Amino acid sequence: MPYAAAKFAAAGFSQGLRAELAGTGVSVTTVLPGLVRTGSHTAARFHGRPGAEYAWFAAAASTPLLSMNAERAARAIVRAAERRRPELVLTPAAKVGVRLQGLAPATTARLLGLVARALPAAGNRPRHDVQGSRAAEQSSLPTWTTALGDRAGARFAEPRPRSGP
């Protein structure tokens, strides 16, 4: 929740800046990226049940439609800033989320509640601050599910994932 709150605050701050700078020649582009494939699943820090948390994050961060190629995202962001677009939403999943929130905020909150309950609980003996490359060792996630994310991680010098199932 702190991560989501920080993103919400950044979006609000960006909208406020856009309003305050209107007419000055300065433009503000708010970027709502969703997941971008950078290989961050191996560098992320996990708490609670690291193997289970790694599994859902690594799979999502490596899946097309849920995540986006980093170079493609960078090009889209630069284009949006050059064109002075007020907002850019990158992944199809993020676009659906933004539209759903705008049309049906209560329904969106209920759906997000269901998703939150489906995520791994901390368990009886939670672990803290486990790097993704170590959490991968505790996960039974097949390596093919993270192939796109792992390739991106190699390009961006993220820690190497484990080899396994």
Side-chain angles (χ1 to χ4, degrees):
M1 187 167 57
Y3 180 79
K7 292 284 190 174
F8 190 76
F13 181 69
S14 182
Q15 288 177 354
L17 279 177
R18 188 177 312 110
E20 285 190 12
L21 295 171
T24 67
V26 177
S27 66
V28 176
T29 300
T30 304
V31 179
L32 306 166
L35 290 169
V36 177
R37 282 191 301 277
T38 62
S40 64
H41 59 285
T42 61
R45 310 305 278 193
F46 297 94
H47 306 271
R49 291 179 34 222
E53 293 173 16
Y54 169 87
W56 73 260
F57 178 67
S62 300
T63 302
L65 300 179
L66 294 179
S67 67
M68 180 180 207
N69 174 285
E71 290 93 347
R72 193 169 138 229
R75 286 191 301 273
I77 292 166
V78 169
R79 243 186 345 267
E82 288 173 342
R83 295 175 181 168
R84 301 162 102 45
R85 285 186 56 186
E87 186 174 272
L88 174 65
V89 182
L90 289 176
T91 65
K95 289 176 184 181
V96 168
V98 166
R99 285 184 176 84
L100 186 58
Q101 171 66 25
L103 292 171
T107 301
T108 303
R110 283 188 211 98
L111 287 173
L112 290 174
L114 290 172
V115 170
R117 285 191 292 282
L119 295 176
N124 295 335
R125 301 179 68 198
R127 304 227 9 240
H128 300 285
D129 202 29
V130 176
Q131 184 173 352
S133 57
R134 296 273 185 227
E137 297 167 3
Q138 303 166 29
S139 171
S140 60
L141 185 67
T143 54
W144 63 265
T145 49
T146 61
L148 291 175
D150 293 341
R151 266 189 252 142
R155 277 196 312 275
F156 301 120
E158 292 288 5
R160 288 292 208 197
R162 88 316 185 192
S163 57

